[in-house]
Amino acid sequence: MAPLTAAGRPDLTSDSVFFVGNGVLRVAPIGTGESGEQKLSPSWADYMDILWSFTKSGTMELADFAGLPAPRQAEWFDREFRAANHTNANVAALRLHLLGKILHSSSDILTNPLLAELARLIVLPATDEQQPISGVDVITTNVDCALEQNIASEFETLWQHDATTVGRVTIDTIVDFRLSARWVRSVADSGPEFRVRVWKVHGCLRDLKIELSRDRAMTRNVLDLAGDKEIGLCGQVPTDTLADRLPGWSQIAEPSTSTRSFSGVFSQSEYFENLLVLAGQTTDHHSADFRTLLETRPLIFVGYGIPEVDVDVVYALQRYRQRGDTKRWQLLAERDLGVGNKERLRQMGIDPWSFHVSPIGFAAMPGKLRAARRHEWRQTTEDPLTIPPERDWRRSLERVSAQAWLEPQLAALRSLAPQVAPATSLPVKRQRLVVAGLGSIWHGFALTNAPDFPIQRRVSARLISVDAGVPGGSGLVPVMVAAATAGPSAVGALTYFSNVPTQWSGWEAIEDLCLSAGIGVHSWQPAENEPETNSVGRTSHVIFFDPARADGMSQLPRQRFIMDVQALANADHAPQVADWSKLVVPPARLHDEFQTPDEEDFLFIDKESDPKIVAEWVGPTVYETGASGDEMVRLLKPANAKPTIWTAGVGSFVRTMVALAGRTPDEAAYGRGPRGVLDHLSEDASIEALADCGDLRERYLAKMVGFGRPGIWDHGGVDGFTYQDELDYGCWLRDRWVDLAPAMWRLLRTGTDSVLKKQHDQIGRGVLTTIHEGGLMAYWQWPDGSTESVVVTIDTTAAEHDHEQLTVTCEVSCAAGQQPLAPVELRVSRRELVLAVDGSVERLGPTDPIRRNTLAAGDTVRGAMAYGLWAAAYRQPAGTRADIRRIFLASAALATLKCYAGSFVDFLKLLERLRGSDTWSAIWGGI
């Protein structure tokens, strides 16, 4: 077989030897479970859960146990189980039984696309009629018979399609450097014989099952300990037959009697026993052949990370160097390819063969990621196996992580010997919820009393920490809220493109938080010829204060005063920066070919992103312009980028409407002060109604339109406007929305100059404006051209007998002929929060009043809305029109809950608790 070469990957020849680790078992198979989701089996998380649950010693948490290397896990389990159960039973046999039960839960072939592709490459020489050879070698650390099963299955496929002239195949399994099993299959009286030698370095479950089964008393004892009287020892690990679907393969050799006593595989002490063999200090029958194989044949490592705990393998590779130009290659992730690892491999004569794993591949079980452990919010339990699948973050994370590792490795292996039609195809991708935009880390502090508010030269020391190192930014907050709202069933379907570079110290926290929620996360990358010195990360220090000057135990949420602290992403460039004022937060970008033309996904994107994303996106888009920006006109319109939905704060909505009407004041109008700005607006009939707001005209509207302008922004001796003025104007606009919205809509969609693209078939198109603690308002258009106004009012009332008991009501407007929706109530007191809707009540327990705040309340609306619209677009039957009023009512209700829940993590915990409850169903309906 002629070598197939390419830069960065190995040469594949008939002499090549694949060294296969048990990593090939930790990738996703192709198939679906009963719910339509991909099913991962065998599940390594199940094996970790079962082992850990059998000890209950309390000396180690599950996350720490799962992080141990396999031999260390084995030693710990054997010791702790004996101590916890006061038994001298063969605990290693129990551990191996549990492993076999997980790996071989049935008598079918244990396979996945990676195993199938490896089998194809291993037997590829048998299809070469030009250079026929008699056999190949494979080395593996696997303990089961999966490789033999897949190799045999591949030969069955070759014979079925007349793709080989081989008439007889022999698969020799060599364990402990002695022949353990010989599987034989003949399909013709003539034709060459092909032999495959499978070298198992760390034992074989088949051998151990046969050996252990001879001791009936021990077998009964193990099954009793496991509670598996109806299950055979080690499950369906094959002994006499490879698999039910491979009946023609007969076994004609029994394991030879070993002079060494093995207690079980995955034992560190037994690895040292192997080392003695590999050092040549024993005379095992095949050990010399194995050492020669290491010295003379090219090795390709797949699914094996060469851990230092495998001292036998490390020793063999280090000692038995290859002669001549023979190569060794290891298929490994780019992320693991640091300078130190490269040197470590080089010293063993190994060249890296790298592949890229998407970040979601590095997701882990709850509690294991650093930031997730500090800010854990997902449901955990002492018995993880009791969590229903739809609420199980661990298995969902494992599934998508395995898929992320499968795809690039499968592509790499297929590149060695391309085929016209791959034996296994990857699953069709489902429509994703993609968020692009600002990422930040927030640190929140609360003031006990209004007089403590910091002034320019002094910051009060009387600060109380509310949140630290939690999501910030109009991109990161919505994607975290959407993930928590969607739950484990959406793990892997969410992607976040941040504007934060990896060089920034805050990136690790952002990546960690996203992966903990099953979000595929990508950092900012500079465009070609773009200097990295112009990129900065952003940390926001947020002070919560009480504008009503109530005492420190006020039941009302606190408002925020944000101080953004920007820093160079790469501190090494600091001496080169002459003008720090020119540093800008970079725009979020998608990586090339993220979305192919035949894919459709849902996009939520903010103003800190490249407008080109909106212009080129396939599928519905939501564009967010924040509290005061006019980016819809200033950035998107020049780029001919049209979103499906626009969402903004009240100030951003007003400034954008003024710009669309062509009434942005000129210098002359600005020069006449607030009155000049207001007169300029009133001259246009399409927006003059926005200025009919009484005494708020000068206090808020003129200042917002003249944002930052001297003489306007500082009018009345107030720098800007107060929180109360902004809230009052938003509520004024909300109460007149039904009458004002149609005129505003005409500005958004005037003929061919529309700033919105056409309606989506199921969710339509529209505009949403949010009001801090006042509710929200939207105007929507459906594919049939019909429109509707949506107003959600949030009303806060105090009990007459106790002003520290509040009832916050979220209620959606109901037009003539519409079915009323039950309002959502949040009852707040010192003792507890109570969420009530349509007769369903959920008691949520108390929260600390000092931690109640509006941090990210507007972004919470957008995150919940993004989930609701995505689910309506892609998770409901085709042709079902979205219940837009329901989505916005639910979004406003969750944002209200956020204000009173305490910290951001406390809020996520409440979402986790509510999701799937009757109250949750009453809020969201069938979405």
Side-chain angles (χ1 to χ4, degrees):
M1 183 170 64
L4 297 167
T5 63
R9 64 176 173 84
D11 304 338
L12 181 64
T13 70
S14 57
D15 288 334
S16 298
V17 176
F18 282 98
F19 192 120
V20 183
N22 63 21
V24 298
L25 289 175
R26 304 189 187 193
V27 297
I30 301 300
T32 56
E34 293 181 0
S35 64
E37 296 294 322
Q38 288 182 10
K39 183 180 179 183
L40 182 63
S41 179
S43 167
W44 215 256
D46 284 352
Y47 182 50
M48 295 296 100
D49 290 344
I50 289 174
L51 282 186
W52 184 76
S53 66
F54 263 76
T55 61
K56 298 294 186 183
S57 66
T59 62
M60 186 179 295
E61 295 294 332
L62 173 59
D64 297 319
F65 171 69
L68 287 174
R72 300 300 185 196
Q73 288 176 345
E75 300 277 8
W76 179 85
F77 176 83
D78 294 354
R79 183 187 72 244
E80 293 296 320
F81 186 87
R82 289 191 187 97
N85 294 276
H86 308 290
T87 179
N88 292 319
N90 190 330
V91 181
L94 170 63
R95 171 167 45 81
L96 295 170
H97 164 69
L98 297 174
L99 177 62
K101 187 175 72 169
I102 290 292
L103 292 179
H104 292 275
S105 58
S106 73
S107 56
D108 202 356
I109 299 172
L110 180 61
T111 191
N112 61 37
L114 195 58
L115 274 168
E117 187 63 25
L118 272 169
R120 185 184 77 89
L121 294 174
I122 288 167
V123 307
L124 197 60
T127 66
D128 192 342
E129 298 181 4
Q130 303 299 321
Q131 299 180 19
I133 62 172
S134 59
V136 295
D137 287 277
V138 187
I139 304 172
T140 179
T141 60
N142 287 339
V143 298
D144 54 76
C145 300
L147 263 179
E148 294 97 311
Q149 289 178 332
N150 282 267
I151 290 170
S153 178
E154 180 62 22
F155 271 110
E156 293 291 333
T157 301
L158 293 178
W159 285 320
Q160 181 182 354
H161 294 90
D162 295 324
T164 179
T165 59
V166 169
R168 176 184 172 90
V169 174
T170 300
I171 303 176
D172 284 345
T173 303
I174 302 169
V175 181
D176 189 23
F177 305 102
R178 293 175 172 85
L179 181 64
S180 168
R182 176 165 288 162
W183 304 96
V184 179
R185 172 87 155 103
S186 296
V187 295
D189 295 333
S190 60
E193 179 181 9
F194 194 85
R195 184 178 297 271
V196 181
R197 291 194 300 180
V198 181
W199 301 81
K200 294 195 173 182
V201 179
H202 293 151
C204 179
L205 268 177
R206 176 183 177 274
D207 286 30
L208 291 160
K209 178 177 181 176
I210 292 172
E211 180 181 343
L212 296 172
S213 297
R214 292 167 180 161
D215 189 335
R216 294 185 177 180
M218 186 199 65
T219 297
R220 284 196 300 272
N221 182 235
V222 166
L223 295 179
D224 285 343
L225 288 172
D228 288 333
K229 294 181 180 180
E230 305 300 322
I231 300 175
L233 187 68
C234 297
Q236 298 294 325
V237 169
T239 52
D240 299 321
T241 304
L242 266 177
D244 286 347
R245 288 194 284 134
L246 300 169
W249 292 81
S250 58
Q251 207 293 111
I252 60 173
E254 287 294 324
S256 59
T257 303
S258 175
T259 58
R260 294 158 60 193
S261 176
F262 280 80
S263 62
V265 293
F266 292 148
S267 168
Q268 189 72 49
S269 59
E270 288 168 9
Y271 286 18
F272 287 106
E273 293 282 341
N274 259 350
L275 194 150
L276 296 177
V277 176
L278 294 169
Q281 296 183 21
T282 61
T283 57
D284 296 80
H285 180 62
H286 287 288
S287 58
D289 290 347
F290 186 77
R291 291 192 289 267
T292 300
L293 184 148
L294 292 179
E295 289 180 317
T296 62
R297 305 276 292 278
L299 296 181
I300 302 175
F301 294 85
V302 179
Y304 188 63
I306 314 180
E308 298 292 353
V309 292
D310 288 5
V311 292
D312 47 357
V313 175
V314 173
Y315 170 83
L317 295 174
Q318 200 81 32
R319 174 167 178 176
Y320 302 110
R321 298 300 185 93
Q322 296 181 333
R323 297 187 290 270
D325 296 329
T326 310
K327 289 281 190 179
R328 294 173 175 175
W329 298 82
Q330 182 185 353
L331 186 62
L332 80 169
E334 290 175 357
R335 187 162 169 161
D336 297 330
L337 198 57
V339 175
N341 202 17
K342 281 184 179 179
E343 176 59 21
R344 177 174 170 270
L345 293 176
R346 189 189 68 80
Q347 292 179 18
M348 289 183 281
I350 300 172
D351 288 338
W353 177 23
S354 63
F355 62 93
H356 176 73
V357 180
S358 66
I360 197 67
F362 296 90
M365 66 178 64
K368 189 172 182 181
L369 293 172
R370 292 182 296 276
R373 176 174 287 184
R374 291 196 302 271
H375 305 290
E376 188 61 65
W377 54 272
R378 295 159 299 183
Q379 179 174 334
T380 57
T381 176
E382 291 185 357
D383 187 1
L385 298 178
T386 63
I387 304 178
E390 65 274 8
R391 295 180 66 90
D392 188 356
W393 287 98
R394 180 178 294 107
R395 284 165 183 78
S396 296
L397 288 168
E398 184 198 25
R399 172 180 54 80
V400 298
S401 176
Q403 187 68 41
W405 282 89
L406 167 64
E407 295 181 12
Q409 291 185 91
L410 196 56
L413 289 177
R414 285 175 176 169
S415 73
L416 292 180
Q419 52 187 337
V420 176
T424 52
S425 59
L426 296 176
V428 177
K429 291 183 179 178
R430 54 181 170 170
Q431 291 93 345
R432 297 162 291 189
L433 169 55
V434 182
V435 175
L438 178 64
S440 180
I441 295 298
W442 274 338
H443 302 272
F445 303 91
L447 295 174
T448 305
N449 294 294
D452 292 329
F453 193 81
I455 58 176
Q456 290 183 350
R457 294 182 299 168
R458 172 182 170 272
V459 175
S460 171
R462 299 176 65 181
L463 300 176
I464 298 173
S465 178
V466 174
D467 265 328
V470 297
S474 51
L476 182 55
V477 171
V479 77
M480 286 294 296
V481 171
T485 306
S489 64
V491 164
L494 281 74
T495 304
Y496 174 50
F497 285 91
S498 171
N499 70 335
V500 174
T502 55
Q503 297 92 337
W504 183 46
S505 59
W507 167 251
E508 289 187 1
I510 289 176
E511 182 182 59
D512 206 32
L513 283 164
C514 287
L515 296 185
S516 74
I519 303 165
V521 58
H522 302 272
S523 63
W524 173 82
Q525 298 296 331
E528 189 175 356
N529 300 322
E530 184 177 15
E532 292 188 32
T533 49
N534 287 341
S535 66
V536 296
R538 191 169 91 178
T539 298
S540 296
H541 296 283
V542 187
I543 294 179
F544 301 121
F545 66 100
D546 186 350
R549 299 189 177 184
D551 63 27
M553 296 301 290
S554 171
Q555 300 298 315
L556 292 170
R558 293 168 176 266
Q559 306 314 317
R560 63 184 184 271
F561 175 78
I562 300 180
M563 297 176 288
D564 290 331
V565 181
Q566 296 182 342
L568 275 171
N570 188 346
D572 294 339
H573 294 193
Q576 306 172 30
V577 179
D579 186 357
W580 284 72
S581 66
K582 293 183 179 179
L583 294 176
V584 295
V585 177
R589 296 191 182 94
L590 272 60
H591 61 67
D592 293 339
E593 300 179 353
F594 170 74
Q595 191 186 42
T596 59
D598 60 339
E599 289 181 315
E600 179 180 313
D601 302 291
F602 186 96
L603 174 68
F604 178 96
I605 183 170
D606 73 12
K607 60 186 178 181
E608 301 293 349
S609 304
D610 190 338
K612 186 173 71 171
I613 302 174
V614 178
E616 298 177 354
W617 190 258
V618 179
T621 54
V622 179
Y623 187 70
E624 189 268 331
T625 54
S628 59
D630 58 356
E631 290 81 7
M632 271 282 288
V633 177
R634 183 167 48 85
L635 295 180
L636 258 60
K637 196 171 182 182
N640 196 30
K642 298 182 179 182
T644 314
I645 298 157
W646 169 45
T647 173
V650 171
S652 176
F653 174 80
V654 168
R655 290 188 70 202
T656 303
M657 288 296 116
V658 170
L660 286 174
R663 298 306 294 173
T664 299
D666 53 20
E667 292 300 324
Y670 282 133
R672 294 195 298 272
R675 288 289 180 181
V677 170
L678 294 169
D679 290 342
H680 186 74
L681 299 183
S682 298
E683 292 171 1
D684 190 292
S686 62
I687 59 170
E688 64 175 338
L690 293 175
D692 188 19
C693 54
D695 57 1
L696 288 171
R697 287 161 52 84
E698 295 184 11
R699 298 206 320 265
Y700 177 78
L701 184 62
K703 290 194 172 193
M704 176 53 66
V705 175
F707 194 87
R709 289 272 178 169
I712 299 175
W713 187 248
D714 55 0
H715 177 73
V718 178
D719 193 17
F721 45 81
T722 66
Y723 166 82
Q724 192 61 47
D725 286 345
E726 182 180 33
L727 176 61
D728 287 346
Y729 183 84
C731 292
W732 175 89
L733 186 62
R734 177 200 66 193
D735 295 341
R736 291 156 181 79
W737 180 254
V738 174
D739 296 326
L740 294 177
M744 302 300 104
W745 182 250
R746 284 192 292 272
L747 287 174
L748 286 169
R749 55 169 300 277
T750 304
T752 58
D753 201 29
S754 172
V755 295
L756 299 177
K757 68 178 178 181
K758 69 176 185 178
Q759 304 93 319
H760 183 270
D761 289 343
Q762 296 203 191
I763 63 174
R765 65 173 177 173
V767 57
L768 167 72
T769 305
T770 56
I771 312 164
H772 285 303
E773 300 176 61
L776 55 84
M777 45 214 171
Y779 195 79
W780 226 251
Q781 186 180 52
W782 299 104
D784 61 7
S786 62
T787 60
E788 68 175 294
S789 293
V790 180
V791 174
V792 177
T793 303
I794 300 177
D795 180 62
T796 303
T797 57
E800 292 184 5
H801 62 283
D802 186 351
H803 290 284
E804 289 188 349
Q805 289 189 7
L806 307 174
T807 299
V808 187
T809 305
C810 300
E811 189 167 12
V812 67
S813 60
C814 180
Q818 286 184 318
Q819 180 70 30
L821 297 181
V824 181
E825 282 190 357
L826 184 65
R827 301 163 192 161
V828 184
S829 69
R830 287 179 179 271
R831 296 180 300 278
E832 64 179 351
L833 296 179
V834 178
L835 191 64
V837 55
D838 201 20
S840 179
V841 176
E842 194 77 24
R843 299 187 180 279
L844 303 174
T847 63
D848 185 356
I850 201 67
R851 295 180 182 273
R852 292 174 184 158
N853 59 79
T854 61
L855 176 61
D859 291 331
T860 300
V861 169
R862 294 171 176 87
M865 174 201 70
Y867 158 74
L869 291 173
W870 170 66
Y874 300 123
R875 290 187 158 194
Q876 292 189 321
T880 304
R881 192 163 101 170
D883 189 345
I884 200 70
R885 291 191 306 143
R886 172 78 67 181
I887 291 172
F888 286 138
L889 176 61
S891 300
L894 294 185
T896 302
L897 179 60
K898 162 69 196 74
C899 294
Y900 292 90
S903 71
F904 190 84
V905 173
D906 291 333
F907 169 63
L908 295 180
K909 287 180 179 178
L910 292 185
L911 290 185
E912 178 71 2
R913 175 176 169 180
L914 285 170
R915 196 180 54 252
S917 66
D918 292 341
T919 304
W920 186 265
S921 299
I923 292 174
W924 283 101
I927 300 172

